[in-house]
Structures are given as structure tokens and as C-alpha cells.
Amino acid sequence: MAADTRGSASGAKAKLPQQRPGNPLRDNADRRLPRVPPPCALVVFGITGDLAQKKLLPAVYDLANRGLLPTSFVLLGFARRDWGDGEFIELAHKAAKEHARTPWREDVWKRLASSCKFVPGAFDDDAAFDTLAETLLDLEESHGVSGNAAFYLSIPPDSFPVVLKQMQRTGMADNIDDSITGYWRRVVVEKPFGHDLASSRELNELVDSVFTAQDVFRIDHYLGKETVQNLLALRFANTLFEPVWNSHHVDSVQITMAEDVGIGSRADFYDATGTARDVVQNHILQLLALTAMEEPVEYTPDAIRIEKLKVLRAISLPEDLPRYAIRGQYTQGWLAGQRVPGYVQEEKVPDDSTTETYVALRLGVQTRRWAGVPFYLRAGKRLPRRVTEIALTFRPAPHVPFTASDTESLGQNQLVVRVQPDEGVTLKFGSKVPGTVMEVRDVAMDFLYGTAFTEASPEAYERLLLDVLIGDATLFPRHEEVEASWAVIDPLEEFWAGQEPAHYRGGEWGPTEADEMLASDGRAWRRP
Ligand code: BG6
């Protein structure tokens, strides 16, 4: 990039950008330049599924629209449908048009449509996989794509083994060093990564036997969210927050992932999974890791993984599980003026299901920075509103010179990172109420992405897909992190096994047991 010479006297030397030593976000490369992948193919297994239609196809269109796909690019769909390219293009058109973030441009779509291909087949159909492998080989001549391919497994986890073995058999996957082959082959695995520690280990071993570790991209779409990445910027690009980001100043941390929706049409998946495995094991523990981790030595996949892993391995469960590990299930209720069914009344959910749709937990992080600070986590469906946030509550001032009545409306200082919606950060602190007496009341200072920036946030999948095609693994959990997270969840599942969940009415903030849990610690949940 040319150095900025604006404002310099003519003939004066251009000022070089300053290196800031000790900054983990520094890099010699200019990360602001658009990153465009090399010629490549994206092969999606399960292209007709929900995820592909709502997220992946629109994300590919958005990337094309922003000019972030290479000129030689092929989108290859694989699914059990008796389809040709035409039907696939029709599906992709509908999905992209309905869910894309960026404006619709027919010329962009037409160009993308000309690189869409479809191979029909079942996962156990050898002939179909042979055709897929041949199609990949032919891409060099037809589209100028010579070897680079990412395989996205947007399929149920029980189909991973058969698909991976087919890729191995046909030579589509390869675990040979990219510098020897001259091209890369990557695999993208959607969560859940197993359903417990043992099965995640098995899955990791299987994937690692077919692909090299650095070619495996595990998607946790929360890491693709701008606000989640901003946690690192907030903490490590500033000086303001780090000095108070520890047990000397922080009283407690609350991480909330509330959803107003129910389980929709995902009963088969959800009833066998539950909230702890669906979102706590991955999204919430990743948020906790980013909140609690030490500064990485640099902004690279390995440096970040090392720090996150240290946190995940330092997590401790409370001894009193009945009090601090609550699971709930929603019953019939009201949400936004509408009557909503209970969980067991949802289509395809068994009447006697004990699967949880809500979890509240108290965890500890046994490090010098965090020992003694409770991390309260909660996640649930059919709560009053959709909101994900991380709230740090600070200790009260050791001494306040004002009277108790002066400070009646003063709470504890709080820093809230709003992951979604209303993306931004709020700082809550006490201020003097205008008037002739000294009265202190809580006020809030807000940073809102929507007003502070004109740049639009890419959708999480768009960002992550681009990273896969570029080969940037910074925002993808490694298998050690996945295993460390299961090591937290396994004992909880064991404790809950065979127990009835507590109940809460749809549209309420979870079961009363969750409120009692905080009340017994002398605290209360935030009402976001
Ligand atoms: C998914 C879970 O990983 O995340 C869903 O499987 C959940 O159950 C979803 O609804 C929430 O994602 P987001 O981005 O809408 O918060």
C-alpha cells in the first residue's frame, strides 16, 4: 500500500506507518486490503439442507457481490436429488435472493450461476463419488480451477464417516503437504463436533486420518460475528479495559444467549441434543474463552488457540451442582402477544421428553486473573427476546463518601458487550443527577456499531467461508479446544441424566431455579 503523504510538505519524505511494539493485533501485512482466495472449488455436501439454503448459498452470493471470489471459482453441490445443474441453479437463486445481505445484482448472479454444478447421489453411492472426483478433475479445463477445493460437510454428524471415507477412497481428500501437491484440499466441519468427549475424539481422529490438521476447519459461527471478534480488539487494542479485567475489579461475569424462537422444525436434532450440547459446549464456552483469555503474543491462529485453550482447561465446575447447574424446558406460554406451544407439544417431540431447552450454570476459571470470580452462563429458547451479551459487573467502590440515600439509585458499574442485536458496547456507571443536592444515579454510555461505522458487517458465514478459501484458521476452534469444552459438559450431562428438567413458561426468563441460583449468591440476572 502506498504510504499516506497527505499533509506533508512537497518533497518531504512519506511517513511510514508506525510499528506498535507489543501489540498482538499488529502484522506486517496490511489486513485492510481485500483478501481474495486463489482459483478454487467449494463443494457442499447437503446443499439442499436448511443451513445451505439459509446461510451458505447466500454467503457465496454476498462474497461474489463484494468481489471477494476469484474469477475462477466453482460451487459444486452434492445431494440425494435426481437433479442436474439447472435445478441446482434454481435452488441457489431462490436461496440467495431470499437471504443475501447485499443488494441483488442480476449480473453478479448470472456470473455465479455459470459456475454452479451439481452431482446427484447418496453418501454410500460409490459411483456418485467417482463422478464427483472426475468432475473436480475436469474443472481445470472447464473453469480454470486446478486442484484447490474445500469440502463443506453440511450434513448430519452420523454421515461424516461415510462421506470422509468416500473422499479418501476416491483420492479427493489428501493429507499430503500442500507445498508438495501444489494445491490444497480442505474440509469444513459443522458443529456439533461429536456429542461428548469420547465421540468428539473419535471424530477428530477420523477427520485427521483423512486430512492434515491445518486443513480441517471447524465452524463455530459465533466466532464469525463482528462483535465476538471485537472482544479481542476491545481488550487488546486499548489500554482502558485490561487493567480492570481481573478478579481485583470484576465481581462476576454473565454470559447470556437468549432466543425467542422455539426449536422450529429441528425436533429430531434438538431432542437428541439439548441446549448444553447445542450451544453451551461451543458458542458460549468460546465466548467465555475470549472473555477470560490472556493476551495472545500475536494475532495468529496458534497464538489465539494457545490462550483460549488455557482458559478452557482452567474451567471448574461448582461442587454444588443441584444449585449451580440448572436445566429447564419451556411449557406453553405467550410471546409477543402470541400463544406459543410448550416444548413437548412441538411437532415430533415425544410427550415425555426430558431434553432441556434452557441451561443456567455457574463456572469458575482457575487462573490467577479469575480465581474467585463466578462466570454465570445461561442459554435458552422461547425467552422473551433474542439477545446475546457478555456483561462484566465490577465490584462496588471500597469507600463512598456519599450517604446511603445519595446513592440509592447507584448500582454496580458494568461493561456490557452486546453481541446481538444492537451490536455494540455499553458502559454503566453512576453520575450526579442535575439539581441542588448530591444524588448519584446509574447512566449508560453506548457505542453502537450501527451509528459508529458506515461499513457493513458481513454475515458470520460469509466471513468464515472466505477464511476457509483463503486458509486463515484464526476464527476456527482446533480439536483441543473442542475436547476441552466437552470435558466441561460431560460431567454436567452425567449429573442431569435421568432428571426431570425444571420448567418455565414460554416468554419468561427461564425457570425460577435459575433466579434462585443467583439470589443465593446475592446477585441477580441482568434483564437485557
Ligand atoms: C446454532 C444452534 O448453532 O445457533 C441453534 O444450533 C441456535 O439452536 C443458533 O438457534 C443461534 O445462532 P444465532 O447466530 O442466531 O445466535
Side-chain angles (χ1 to χ4, degrees):
M1 199 188 90
D4 189 353
T5 55
R6 279 168 299 178
S8 63
S10 71
K13 266 196 186 163
K15 252 196 194 164
L16 288 170
Q18 264 189 342
Q19 275 281 352
R20 280 171 300 157
N23 182 344
L25 306 177
R26 78 177 187 273
D27 194 311
N28 293 330
D30 188 340
R31 292 182 204 256
R32 291 165 303 174
L33 292 176
R35 305 173 306 155
V36 180
C40 59
L42 173 64
V43 182
V44 182
F45 294 104
I47 192 77
T48 55
D50 215 41
L51 178 80
Q53 292 193 49
K54 291 202 176 123
K55 300 287 183 188
L56 306 181
L57 290 166
V60 172
Y61 168 80
D62 285 331
L63 286 172
N65 208 1
R66 292 186 210 268
L68 295 175
L69 288 182
T71 340
S72 302
F73 172 77
V74 173
L75 174 64
L76 226 163
F78 185 98
R80 203 200 336 225
R81 294 278 165 104
D82 195 10
W83 277 3
D85 295 349
E87 285 95 338
F88 170 46
I89 292 170
E90 224 172 275
L91 169 105
H93 179 262
K94 188 167 172 287
K97 202 160 182 182
E98 204 170 319
H99 300 288
R101 280 267 180 114
T102 56
W104 190 254
R105 285 172 43 198
E106 208 53 37
D107 55 325
V108 170
W109 164 251
K110 281 203 176 119
R111 218 173 316 125
L112 185 59
S114 68
S115 30
C116 286
K117 294 190 88 51
F118 186 77
V119 174
F123 298 149
D124 57 358
D125 180 348
D126 287 359
F129 274 83
D130 292 342
T131 309
L132 183 61
E134 278 160 30
T135 310
L136 272 178
L137 285 177
D138 292 345
L139 292 184
E140 175 154 24
E141 208 163 294
S142 60
H143 290 79
V145 174
S146 54
N148 295 334
F151 300 94
Y152 200 119
L153 305 189
S154 177
I155 54 178
D158 54 3
S159 304
F160 288 173
V162 52
V163 171
L164 286 165
K165 288 200 174 119
Q166 289 282 22
M167 283 196 271
Q168 196 170 34
R169 183 186 64 78
T170 49
M172 278 190 287
D174 88 293
N175 52 9
I176 302 167
D177 196 321
D178 300 353
S179 60
I180 298 170
T181 56
Y183 58 80
W184 46 258
R185 291 289 159 100
R186 297 180 185 138
V187 67
V188 187
V189 190
E190 262 292 334
K191 62 161 266 286
F193 316 115
H195 60 269
D196 57 15
L197 179 57
S199 59
S200 81
R201 273 193 184 140
E202 263 172 47
L203 175 63
N204 283 329
E205 272 165 31
L206 173 71
V207 177
D208 286 350
S209 69
V210 183
F211 288 88
T212 38
Q214 84 256 19
D215 290 330
V216 182
F217 290 73
R218 293 169 188 79
I219 292 238
D220 181 322
H221 77 279
Y222 263 61
L223 297 178
K225 292 183 191 270
E226 284 290 333
T227 37
V228 174
Q229 294 159 46
N230 187 41
L231 263 172
L232 294 179
L234 184 80
R235 293 190 54 201
F236 304 129
N238 297 303
T239 48
L240 201 57
F241 305 108
E242 264 325 89
V244 293
W245 208 269
N246 55 50
S247 63
H248 300 298
H249 301 279
V250 176
D251 164 85
S252 58
V253 180
Q254 287 188 18
I255 302 182
T256 299
M257 179 183 168
E259 294 181 274
D260 51 358
V261 292
I263 54 149
S265 53
R266 298 164 77 215
D268 288 342
F269 161 77
Y270 204 88
D271 202 55
T273 307
T275 306
R277 291 185 169 108
D278 183 33
V279 299
V280 181
Q281 183 271 338
N282 35 73
H283 307 328
I284 296 216
L285 289 185
Q286 284 289 325
L287 292 182
L288 184 153
L290 291 170
T291 306
M293 72 191 242
E294 296 300 317
E295 184 175 270
V297 289
E298 52 187 3
Y299 189 62
T300 59
D302 275 346
I304 293 176
R305 174 182 53 89
I306 287 167
E307 299 306 335
K308 281 199 288 175
L309 191 58
K310 270 160 44 185
V311 173
L312 293 168
R313 288 188 175 154
I315 290 178
S316 64
L317 291 172
E319 271 171 27
D320 190 354
L321 284 177
R323 174 140 67 121
Y324 292 118
I326 308 296
R327 65 204 275 272
Q329 189 187 78
Y330 60 83
T331 58
Q332 219 171 53
W334 289 87
L335 229 161
Q338 302 262 357
R339 198 158 181 75
V340 288
Y343 176 69
V344 293
Q345 282 109 41
E346 301 276 15
E347 215 178 302
K348 298 218 282 237
V349 173
D351 292 346
D352 56 354
S353 170
T354 57
T355 299
E356 82 278 2
T357 58
Y358 175 97
V359 164
L361 283 177
R362 188 180 99 167
L363 300 181
V365 176
Q366 302 310 330
T367 60
R368 179 168 282 238
R369 187 190 281 261
W370 293 116
V373 176
F375 282 73
Y376 298 105
L377 318 179
R378 66 179 158 163
K381 297 219 183 256
R382 283 264 196 263
L383 301 182
R385 53 182 294 242
R386 175 176 183 249
V387 58
T388 300
E389 63 166 42
I390 300 157
L392 277 76
T393 302
F394 292 89
R395 292 180 183 280
H399 171 72
V400 179
F402 312 112
T403 65
S405 68
D406 292 345
T407 51
E408 229 169 40
S409 312
L410 173 69
Q412 281 166 266
N413 294 169
Q414 244 173 13
L415 181 82
V416 184
V417 176
R418 288 192 310 276
V419 173
Q420 63 186 29
D422 306 329
E423 289 79 359
V425 178
T426 299
L427 192 59
K428 198 182 96 184
F429 52 92
S431 249
K432 182 184 173 303
V433 181
T436 52
V437 291
M438 174 51 80
E439 187 191 344
V440 184
R441 194 187 291 163
D442 277 342
V443 293
M445 208 158 78
D446 253 339
F447 147 60
L448 263 170
Y449 267 81
T451 50
F453 295 112
T454 50
E455 292 89 341
S457 300
E459 216 276 331
Y461 275 94
E462 188 189 333
R463 166 69 202 259
L464 295 175
L465 263 184
L466 179 65
D467 283 357
V468 169
L469 301 182
I470 285 169
D472 180 348
T474 313
L475 301 176
F476 297 81
R478 293 284 295 271
H479 76 90
E480 297 94 330
E481 290 171 65
V482 172
E483 288 177 12
S485 304
W486 279 120
V488 175
I489 301 298
D490 273 7
L492 292 168
E493 292 290 355
E494 211 172 287
F495 163 68
W496 286 325
Q499 281 183 28
E500 273 287 318
H503 287 99
Y504 60 102
R505 266 207 290 272
E508 287 181 350
W509 280 107
T512 48
E513 285 83 346
D515 292 332
E516 285 160 13
M517 160 175 138
L518 256 79
S520 68
D521 282 0
R523 300 186 177 93
W525 290 107
R526 269 176 51 80
R527 288 284 176 258

